[in-house]
Amino acid sequence: MALKQSIVLAFFFVIYMAQGQRVAIMGAMDKEIEFLKSELENKKKIQKSGVTFFTGKLKNKRVVLFKSGVGKVNAAYCTAILVENFNVTSLIFTGVAGGLHPEIKPGDIVISNNLIQYDFGKLKNGEFEIWPTRNLKEKNNRNPLYLDVDPVLFKKSEKVSSRLKLKPFNNRLPKFYFGTIATGDNFISDTLKAKELNTKFNAIATEMEGAAVAQICTMLNLPYIIIRSCSDNANTKAQTDYLKFVEVAALNSAHMVLGLLEE
């Protein structure tokens, strides 16, 4: 009888856990999650450790949506708080970035296949050496220098990009790019630095949160993907372009997220 009761309890626990599973959607700023929040059905606001989460449904999928704030530390903290308080199956980061690829223009979407922290390492005699981060859950072993996104989510993103219809922007249709994103605690508005990141790391975009999220997700075995729409080209006009194009760029990224949820 005790064995039968245990099996029944286990069965209902599995059902309960499955029903509680959600896809996490994360942005650094209000503008990056604003449209998705407006589309959220059965929206409920939940506060956890200083972070505001919104639960509900998007494209008939149970989701938890939240803003991390700008920078690697905020992004890592919020990812940890997320996993501690919600039963999530995967994480999608949505937002804007500075384009580094010579052909990228504002409005274009970058989907990462891997990410690197370009500002973590050692500076000696004017030379900066990049260090890989460490995985605290695996005997403090080093993580890969380039952190790979979830291959299933990446393949789905490729599929969505082939059919997703984005609105024309500046008299052109936005394009999709796939590749490395370079993350650091700097807003890049410097043509030489942008060229260096592109050349040294083969990075096609730069931003301030992605690789930190990737590090936490890697340690916690949480599948993730980073989606960015370019608001600027990380050059001397970046600040002006960012203010001009951030809303359009954020909206393009949000539509990509909705397409991925449908997939």
Side-chain angles (χ1 to χ4, degrees), residues 22-37:
R22 299 180 184 274
V23 175
I25 303 171
M26 178 181 188
M29 304 176 295
D30 286 321
K31 289 182 185 298
E32 294 173 329
I33 67 167
E34 198 171 73
F35 175 72
L36 294 172
K37 191 164 69 173

Side-chain angles (χ1 to χ4, degrees), residues 26-29 32 68-72 75 91-100 110-112 114-119 149 179-189 194 197 203-214 224-234 242 253:
M26 178 181 188
M29 304 176 295
E32 294 173 329
S68 67
V70 174
K72 293 189 296 181
L91 186 150
I92 304 170
F93 196 107
T94 179
V96 302
L100 301 174
V110 171
I111 298 171
S112 62
N114 57 45
L115 300 99
I116 184 170
Q117 290 190 48
Y118 68 79
D119 60 352
V149 304
T180 299
I181 290 178
T183 300
D185 278 318
N186 303 276
F187 179 88
I188 303 299
S189 183
L197 293 176
I204 63 173
T206 182
E207 36 86 298
M208 301 175 67
E209 297 85 25
V213 174
Y224 71 95
I225 189 80
I226 310 294
I227 298 170
R228 296 284 191 168
S229 183
C230 293
S231 58
D232 58 83
N233 288 100
Y242 168 82
S253 184

